[in-house]
Amino acid sequence: MASENSSNVIEPSIFEYLKAHGEEELAVGDKLHQITSTLNRHISTCQGILSRIHSTPSSKLQPLLKQVEDEGIKPEIESVGELAQFTSNYPYYKYNHRWSRSIQSVVTTILLTGWLGGLGTESRPGEIGRLLTIEEVGEILKVPVNLKDRDAFHITIEEYILALTEITEELSRLAMNSVTLGDIGLTVQISSFVKDLFAGFQLLNLKNDIVRKRVDAVKYHVKKVEDVIYDLSLRNLIPKSESSS
């Protein structure tokens, strides 16, 4: 009977393992929270500066974009680098839900800054209307993109697409505010861009429900800009060269 009872004793090592694993999970979670909280503060700073584009004529954007790069994007890059380095020790898809929304916001600030003419280089100066590729975003952030061959930190296609939907929303708002600033040329340029982007989205076979719904919502941003253009056309405020383009 004694030997039978001893065979049913639970090994203490089982709970020791579970305890150690739980403590490790807590430590990883705390560190991720610390890094993402810092990253989110940088994102908020960047978004706050970028919000001033709605009251700044395009001819005077460069000083503002320089401030965005120095005070917003550069700190974002540092935090993303810290995040990538820390998470390199753990399975990417186990934890990526903890930072994916933040990374999407970082990509949005970079895409919007690039579209407005910022983030230029000596080999390729910035210009209004330029859409950075996911590879260019990865180069700016100094992290890989769309990894398929290993489980490591990277910018995903979904994060890039969701960021694209966010800049269409921001640009549709800018289109209206540009009219108030008398910058009708920028409004026309935004109209052409968001329509081309939405047309490109229609070519994608989107299987992610969240991405598909967000892409579908872009048509409302396009409609908003089209309404602005239609109103300007009725008042003959669009120069012939721009209306024909």
Side-chain angles (χ1 to χ4, degrees):
M1 181 69 70
S3 61
E4 183 177 333
N5 289 336
S6 63
S7 65
N8 292 327
V9 173
I10 299 175
E11 285 291 333
S13 60
I14 294 176
F15 292 100
E16 290 172 1
Y17 169 80
L18 293 174
K19 179 183 178 183
H21 182 71
E23 290 174 347
E24 180 186 15
E25 289 287 297
L26 287 173
V28 172
D30 288 344
K31 183 62 176 179
L32 285 175
H33 177 73
Q34 175 189 332
I35 296 173
T36 54
S37 294
T38 300
L39 175 58
N40 288 334
R41 286 197 295 272
H42 295 323
I43 292 169
S44 295
T45 298
C46 199
Q47 291 172 334
I49 302 172
L50 275 170
S51 68
R52 289 156 50 191
I53 64 175
H54 298 287
S55 58
T56 306
S58 58
S59 60
K60 298 180 180 179
L61 277 176
Q62 282 306 313
L64 178 60
L65 296 177
K66 181 67 167 57
Q67 185 181 2
V68 171
E69 293 177 30
D70 291 343
E71 299 179 20
I73 292 178
K74 285 182 180 178
E76 284 180 343
I77 293 171
E78 292 176 2
S79 285
V80 170
E82 183 182 2
L83 179 62
Q85 183 176 11
F86 176 74
T87 58
S88 65
N89 299 312
Y90 305 98
Y92 171 81
Y93 287 105
K94 181 177 181 179
Y95 294 105
N96 74 308
H97 66 281
R98 301 284 296 267
W99 64 74
S100 185
R101 184 65 182 84
S102 298
I103 293 300
Q104 177 192 322
S105 296
V106 169
V107 176
T108 300
T109 61
I110 290 174
L111 290 179
L112 185 57
T113 301
W115 195 94
L116 293 168
L119 297 170
T121 62
E122 290 185 4
S123 59
R124 185 168 184 181
E127 58 179 324
I128 292 180
R130 177 191 175 194
L131 178 61
L132 297 172
T133 65
I134 188 173
E135 289 79 14
E136 289 173 317
V137 171
E139 289 175 5
I140 290 169
L141 290 173
K142 302 173 185 176
V143 295
V145 300
N146 194 31
L147 285 181
K148 300 294 185 183
D149 59 344
R150 63 187 188 277
D151 188 22
F153 183 93
H154 62 283
I155 306 298
T156 67
I157 291 291
E158 289 78 13
E159 288 163 348
Y160 179 76
I161 293 176
L162 289 170
L164 287 177
T165 67
E166 287 199 355
I167 69 166
T168 61
E169 183 175 8
E170 196 68 22
L171 288 176
S172 67
R173 180 184 166 210
L174 181 60
M176 293 185 288
N177 290 327
S178 294
V179 174
T180 305
L181 294 172
D183 199 346
I184 294 173
L186 182 59
T187 300
V188 173
Q189 192 170 0
I190 291 172
S191 174
S192 177
F193 173 76
V194 296
K195 285 191 291 187
D196 287 348
L197 191 60
F198 184 63
F201 281 148
Q202 304 313 298
L203 302 176
L204 303 179
N205 180 22
L206 300 173
K207 298 180 180 179
N208 183 302
D209 286 342
I210 296 175
V211 175
R212 187 168 60 248
K213 290 177 181 177
R214 291 280 294 277
V215 165
D216 189 56
V218 171
K219 64 186 176 187
Y220 300 109
H221 309 153
V222 174
K223 179 66 165 55
K224 186 185 296 186
V225 180
E226 285 179 338
D227 289 344
V228 175
I229 294 296
Y230 178 69
D231 183 62
L232 291 172
S233 299
L234 288 179
R235 293 187 285 163
N236 294 317
L237 293 177
I238 300 180
K240 294 296 182 182
S241 59
E242 292 180 344
S243 61
S244 62
S245 62

